[in-house]
Amino acid sequence: GIKDSAERIKSGKLNKRGDTRGCFITHGHSNDRIYSIWCDMKRRCKNPKNKRYNRYGGRGICVCEEWENFENFYDWAIKNGYEENLTLERKNIDGNYCPDNCEWITFAKQQRNTSRSRFVTANGQTKTIAEWSEITGIKQDVIKDRLNKLGWSEQEAVTIPTMRMGGKRWLL
């Protein structure tokens, strides 16, 4: 009945489809973005039919027991800087969704922290190619070409400025 459904939400138990549709919600946040974030996080980790399951639950990534309860997740989120323009990020992409491994960051920063991002170390700092491009003013494609086609070291690729000769930009 309704009481059982409410308990499923409070305990974080999912229905047969691997989600919370059809459950009675008691927290008053069912239409809020933060609730969608929580539901999506759980679906990615628990529902093999979710299109991104293989990148999360299929790799062993799970939601900590504490966050199985929406109210606990909500309390952590509010205390740790949740805003409508931020997204939930796992600091260690191989780690679980839990308070010690998550933070709220901008969408732009999250796009840099994907498994597709290439990290480059120079001057003792490790950053994505996109970040090095912003810092140095060297276009991302130039950095990639220096590394992949020209065989430059990571240090050289992001620290040697490009030169203009005859109106054209050169790699050297």
Side-chain angles (χ1 to χ4, degrees), residues 63-80:
V63 177
C64 70
E65 186 175 332
E66 178 184 350
W67 283 4
E68 290 289 332
N69 176 294
F70 174 73
E71 284 93 357
N72 291 341
F73 174 77
Y74 179 84
D75 290 344
W76 173 87
I78 298 305
K79 289 176 186 170
N80 286 276

Side-chain angles (χ1 to χ4, degrees), residues 4 33 55 78 92 96 122 161 166:
D4 292 337
R33 182 174 172 272
R55 299 171 88 193
I78 298 305
N92 172 356
N96 294 327

Side-chain angles (χ1 to χ4, degrees), residues 7-63:
E7 288 305 312
R8 282 201 321 245
I9 288 294
K10 287 182 178 182
S11 69
K13 291 181 182 171
L14 303 176
N15 63 25
K16 290 178 183 177
R17 290 185 302 258
D19 60 31
T20 55
R21 286 179 288 185
C23 297
F24 183 74
I25 298 169
T26 61
H27 50 68
H29 294 282
S30 62
N31 294 320
D32 295 348
R33 182 174 172 272
I34 193 167
Y35 182 70
S36 293
I37 291 170
W38 178 74
C39 287
D40 290 344
M41 168 186 69
K42 292 182 71 169
R43 287 181 190 124
R44 288 190 300 269
C45 294
K46 293 177 174 253
N47 183 354
K49 293 181 180 179
N50 184 284
K51 66 182 178 182
R52 296 189 292 166
Y53 175 82
N54 65 329
R55 299 171 88 193
Y56 294 87
R59 291 196 309 122
I61 294 167
C62 62
V63 177

Side-chain angles (χ1 to χ4, degrees), residues 18-150:
D19 60 31
T20 55
R21 286 179 288 185
C23 297
F24 183 74
I25 298 169
T26 61
H27 50 68
H29 294 282
S30 62
N31 294 320
D32 295 348
R33 182 174 172 272
I34 193 167
Y35 182 70
S36 293
I37 291 170
W38 178 74
C39 287
D40 290 344
M41 168 186 69
K42 292 182 71 169
R43 287 181 190 124
R44 288 190 300 269
C45 294
K46 293 177 174 253
N47 183 354
K49 293 181 180 179
N50 184 284
K51 66 182 178 182
R52 296 189 292 166
Y53 175 82
N54 65 329
R55 299 171 88 193
Y56 294 87
R59 291 196 309 122
I61 294 167
C62 62
V63 177
C64 70
E65 186 175 332
E66 178 184 350
W67 283 4
E68 290 289 332
N69 176 294
F70 174 73
E71 284 93 357
N72 291 341
F73 174 77
Y74 179 84
D75 290 344
W76 173 87
I78 298 305
K79 289 176 186 170
N80 286 276
Y82 170 78
E83 293 179 19
E84 290 288 320
N85 65 329
L86 299 177
T87 185
L88 184 63
E89 170 79 348
R90 284 174 298 122
K91 298 172 192 174
N92 172 356
I93 63 169
D94 295 319
N96 294 327
Y97 284 101
C98 61
D100 292 341
N101 192 41
C102 290
E103 62 185 337
W104 296 104
I105 63 172
T106 64
F107 287 102
K109 185 174 180 185
Q110 188 177 51
Q111 290 303 305
R112 295 180 183 149
N113 296 340
T114 71
S115 57
R116 298 179 310 273
S117 295
R118 178 164 179 188
F119 290 86
V120 172
T121 302
N123 300 327
Q125 296 182 359
T126 301
K127 301 183 181 303
T128 64
I129 289 176
E131 289 172 308
W132 281 118
S133 179
E134 282 183 13
I135 293 166
T136 64
I138 302 170
K139 291 184 177 183
Q140 291 183 51
D141 288 342
V142 171
I143 295 171
K144 289 175 188 175
D145 285 348
R146 288 174 169 185
L147 294 167
N148 301 330
K149 294 179 181 176
L150 300 174

